[in-house]
Amino acid sequence: DQVKQGQIQKYIANPLLLNGAKCDLRLYVVVTCYNPMRLYIYPEGLVRISTKQYKSVKKNSASRARFMHLTNYSVNKHSKDFVPNTSSSDDGVGNKWSLSALWRYLEQQGKWCKKDLDEVWVRIKDVVRKAFMTADNTINSYLQSVCPYPNNCYEVFGVDVMLDDKLRPWLLEINTSPDLSPSSPMDKRIKGNMLTDLFTMLRFSVVDKKAMLKQDEASRVNGEARQNAYRRRTSPAVLSVIPQELVSLV
């Protein structure tokens, strides 16, 4: 039988709880170059919350409450207790919050001040930086074989981080090709703004698709009008009055 490779991670038994449920953070990181390494992290992100109240599990327990232990949106959206986000601005309700809403919530609890939360963000960035550095040699070797010009590529990653009850960040995984399709108005705002900033940084022009299609249609109509006018000007009736020496040049 073929043996599949895997990874073993330490289980975080004391996670940060939001209203009694586990949560994790989905952060967006873009790499524009590996040699030298250039990483950019988007300051806004998503907070995914499980749909079942968390309780610690005893060692060797056979309990497999997926909706309690897993925070993935792809899992919890199938729970009967899942509460979707319905407003772009109301970003601290339901089972998916914005990262800004999490910082506001934690500060309002009175246990942590803004300075504490700023330090948490510094530690999160440090975890992300070190994670990418561990793969630097492997990715550099691969890029040299397939992409001789390092400035010709970039990639967006979805980085999943969990905070424990002391707000220490733990790296869960790094996803290539993260899902950027919006599942809610808040999703659309955060992902849309992130992509706009990304394309601006990469010097891509972000355009209004509807306005562009309208402009293309107007150009097509004008082009057809110009072609028709040219045909009328160069019809046999018109050409008959043009001097013969000019007609030969046409």
Side-chain angles (χ1 to χ4, degrees):
D1 293 342
Q2 186 177 2
V3 178
K4 293 184 178 180
Q5 292 186 345
Q7 252 184 345
I8 297 177
Q9 289 179 294
K10 179 180 178 180
Y11 184 80
I12 310 303
N14 60 325
L16 172 70
L17 302 181
L18 298 182
N19 301 319
K22 282 180 69 174
C23 65
D24 76 351
L25 316 180
R26 162 56 61 88
L27 307 171
Y28 296 102
V29 174
V30 62
V31 182
T32 58
C33 184
Y34 274 99
N35 188 18
M37 180 179 287
R38 293 194 189 99
L39 300 176
Y40 299 89
I41 186 168
Y42 192 61
E44 184 63 287
L46 298 170
V47 181
R48 305 174 300 184
I49 307 169
S50 61
T51 50
K52 188 176 177 62
Q53 297 284 292
Y54 176 78
K55 58 182 179 181
S56 58
V57 179
K58 293 181 180 179
K59 191 175 181 180
N60 301 323
S61 170
S63 175
R64 294 188 178 182
R66 298 177 74 228
F67 296 142
M68 177 175 74
H69 294 290
L70 300 180
T71 52
N72 310 56
Y73 167 74
S74 58
V75 172
N76 284 278
K77 69 179 181 180
H78 298 295
S79 168
K80 61 181 179 61
D81 299 315
F82 181 78
V83 180
N85 167 267
T86 56
S87 167
S88 173
S89 56
D90 200 4
D91 56 355
V93 229
N95 292 96
K96 190 186 279 191
W97 294 6
S98 71
L99 187 58
S100 299
L102 174 66
W103 300 142
R104 290 197 305 269
Y105 172 83
L106 293 176
E107 194 170 356
Q108 289 166 4
Q109 297 307 298
K111 189 175 179 180
W112 296 285
C113 65
K114 187 178 184 304
K115 184 179 178 181
D116 297 327
L117 301 178
D118 289 343
E119 180 59 32
V120 173
W121 183 241
V122 170
R123 290 200 296 266
I124 288 175
K125 290 191 291 186
D126 189 50
V127 167
V128 171
R129 186 185 304 110
K130 288 176 179 176
F132 279 91
M133 287 173 63
T134 59
D136 184 46
N137 288 337
T138 305
I139 296 177
N140 256 315
S141 300
Y142 176 73
L143 279 179
Q144 288 173 10
S145 63
V146 299
C147 185
Y149 304 102
N151 292 326
N152 283 3
C153 60
Y154 72 93
E155 186 162 4
V156 178
F157 295 89
V159 180
D160 295 339
V161 171
M162 180 172 285
L163 299 176
D164 63 20
D165 55 7
K166 306 293 184 187
L167 293 191
R168 289 175 297 192
W170 298 83
L171 178 68
L172 296 180
E173 62 180 2
I174 298 179
N175 303 272
T176 57
S177 304
D179 182 14
L180 295 177
S181 58
S183 61
S184 70
M186 181 192 68
D187 243 25
K188 184 176 182 180
R189 172 175 63 82
I190 292 175
K191 293 175 180 177
N193 290 344
M194 183 273 293
L195 289 173
T196 300
D197 285 358
L198 169 65
F199 293 148
T200 301
M201 181 179 71
L202 297 173
R203 299 184 181 179
F204 290 168
S205 296
V206 180
V207 299
D208 185 327
K209 185 177 179 181
K210 290 183 180 179
M212 182 61 69
L213 289 174
K214 188 175 179 180
Q215 183 179 337
D216 288 346
E217 177 62 18
S219 298
R220 185 185 65 80
V221 171
N222 292 335
E224 290 178 352
R226 285 195 298 270
Q227 287 179 355
N228 291 335
Y230 176 77
R231 291 191 189 100
R232 288 194 298 271
R233 288 197 306 271
T234 57
S235 64
V238 176
L239 285 177
S240 62
V241 300
I242 298 177
Q244 185 61 40
E245 61 268 30
L246 294 181
V247 173
S248 63
L249 295 176
V250 176

